[in-house]
Amino acid sequence: MKAAVVGGGGYIGGEVVRLLLQHPEVELAQITSTRHSGRPLRVVHPNLRDQSDLTYVTDDEVEECDVVFLAMPHGASMKGVDRWSSVAPRVVDLSADFRLTDHARRERYYPGPAPDPIWLSRFQAGIPELNRDGLRGASHIAVPGCMANAAILALHPLAEAGLIDGSVLVDARTGSSGGGRTPDEGSHHPERSGALRMAKPHGHRHTAEIEQACGVPVQMSVTAIEAVRGVQVACHITPSRSVTERELWSVYRDAYRDEPFVRLVRERSALHRLPEPKILSGSNFCDIGLALNSAGDHLVVVSALDNLVKGGAGNAVHCLNIASGWDETAGLSFTGLHPV
């Protein structure tokens, strides 16, 4: 299968490129970047030195292929969806343009132009653990946001079991790569280094995706931490009735026992008893753990992932594997490193 990556000069696009170069069923045919057009891949992503002889082209130079990955800024995918759908029969979008199906929710979190409703209806939610049947044979796929994906995987089993009472507080922490490759004042090293900056106390856009997928009201805060990769979310939940840890673990085992990229963390050691993103760097895993207070009336579910892989590029490749009928783990076997 021939693939093109649009926006391959960014961090997410670069990770899509990295994964496709080692994918047994895919030939990476083209990569685009307006800024880097004509330059070799290795100059922009030096970790891929000697892995490919490809050079960047402009978006207008992309030729027909079998699948196109869109790693573009918000708004660009919806503007170009006609063009990209004519280039390839399968489109995998990593932006937020086609994630939200409810118009009112979209207007609240993403004011401005909305996607064409006909195109929107063609996109499948790119969450394999929740929408595997919808992804089989899918032609258009919308991959969720990184923090949204971590929170959705943490909350969905409990929501399905009716074990959440009222609103959930999602306390998220994210590394600097989540802000993209283009620097701003907040990502400038002297400003970012050593900081624990609450970037968004209320109203983060990923709230909309979590509410849509889980059907529960969410309050979300986001803190920027001194890390490059990684997302960790702590979901504070009031159970709808008295529960035990044994019962909760049973719910999660039933939900994820056959999932290749969700791992339940039940370690008893102090160091690794709850998920942490550091050991997930480069991998497509999401680790989930929990802590219930002694009264059984307050639960914290913690999930962690690499925002660029399971929170983006790896999830996109996983969706492609399902849509194409391949081994779901194809190209995604990297386990992460320890220590890092």
Side-chain angles (χ1 to χ4, degrees):
M1 183 177 286
K2 288 191 175 183
V5 177
V6 178
Y11 291 141
I12 286 278
E15 285 295 88
V16 176
V17 170
R18 177 179 70 86
L19 295 172
L20 294 183
L21 285 174
Q22 60 186 3
H23 198 292
E25 306 289 347
V26 177
E27 174 193 344
L28 182 59
Q30 289 184 293
I31 49 175
T32 85
S33 171
T34 302
R35 178 183 175 187
H36 300 294
S37 177
R39 304 177 75 188
L41 172 65
R42 68 178 182 275
V43 173
V44 182
H45 299 294
N47 58 313
L48 301 179
R49 187 176 291 128
D50 294 336
Q51 299 302 300
S52 172
D53 294 327
L54 286 173
T55 59
Y56 286 96
V57 299
T58 65
D59 292 356
D60 292 338
E61 295 176 279
V62 175
E63 300 174 350
E64 290 188 2
C65 56
D66 300 302
V67 58
V68 60
F69 290 83
L70 304 180
M72 306 167 74
H74 175 62
S77 295
M78 71 173 84
K79 290 178 182 177
V81 66
D82 291 284
R83 147 85 168 144
W84 300 120
S85 297
S86 68
V87 165
R90 182 162 285 148
V91 176
V92 183
D93 182 31
L94 290 101
S95 80
D97 288 4
F98 297 98
R99 293 172 183 167
L100 298 177
T101 58
D102 180 80
H103 182 67
R105 182 177 278 124
R106 180 186 178 84
E107 279 194 327
R108 177 182 175 188
Y109 289 96
Y110 293 91
D116 179 277
I118 295 177
W119 277 118
L120 180 61
S121 67
R122 296 178 184 175
F123 276 81
Q124 286 289 329
I127 310 176
E129 294 82 5
L130 275 59
N131 191 36
R132 185 170 273 100
D133 289 343
L135 288 169
R136 291 191 176 102
S139 62
H140 290 71
I141 298 167
V143 178
C146 54
M147 288 178 287
N149 201 23
I152 289 166
L153 294 176
L155 293 173
H156 192 267
L158 298 177
E160 282 285 285
L163 290 174
I164 297 177
D165 181 30
S167 181
V168 174
L169 170 62
V170 175
D171 180 18
R173 289 162 285 279
T174 181
S176 60
S177 61
R181 188 156 196 161
T182 303
D184 59 24
E185 184 180 12
S187 63
H188 187 45
H189 181 75
E191 299 293 337
R192 178 92 186 200
S193 181
L196 285 171
R197 182 175 298 117
M198 186 165 281
K200 200 75 174 176
H202 294 286
H204 193 280
R205 289 176 168 183
H206 286 189
T207 305
E209 296 175 58
I210 304 166
E211 292 182 335
Q212 175 176 273
C214 298
V216 296
V218 170
Q219 301 295 326
M220 184 176 185
S221 63
V222 177
T223 300
I225 63 173
E226 188 168 349
V228 175
R229 289 179 184 246
V231 161
Q232 182 191 66
V233 300
C235 303
H236 294 259
I237 301 157
T238 300
S240 58
R241 57 177 174 78
S242 180
V243 291
T244 64
E245 277 202 15
R246 183 183 183 126
E247 179 183 3
L248 292 170
W249 282 121
S250 178
V251 169
Y252 279 95
R253 281 196 302 270
D254 288 346
Y256 294 133
R257 71 162 43 94
D258 297 322
E259 293 298 337
F261 297 115
V262 177
R263 305 188 300 192
L264 303 182
V265 180
R266 297 189 64 182
E267 305 296 336
R268 297 299 180 185
S269 70
L271 188 59
H272 296 293
R273 69 182 186 275
L274 288 171
E276 54 186 271
K278 180 179 178 180
I279 61 173
L280 300 173
S281 293
S283 81
N284 196 50
F285 292 109
C286 176
D287 284 357
I288 298 175
L290 60 85
L292 181 68
N293 71 349
S294 58
D297 60 5
H298 184 261
L299 171 65
V300 181
V301 180
V302 180
S303 64
L305 49 74
D306 182 330
N307 57 296
L308 299 179
V309 188
K310 182 59 173 169
N315 207 43
V317 172
H318 189 186
C319 290
L320 175 66
N321 289 344
I322 295 171
S324 304
W326 301 329
D327 177 356
E328 290 193 22
T329 64
L332 299 170
S333 59
F334 183 71
T335 59
L337 300 172
H338 180 264
V340 177

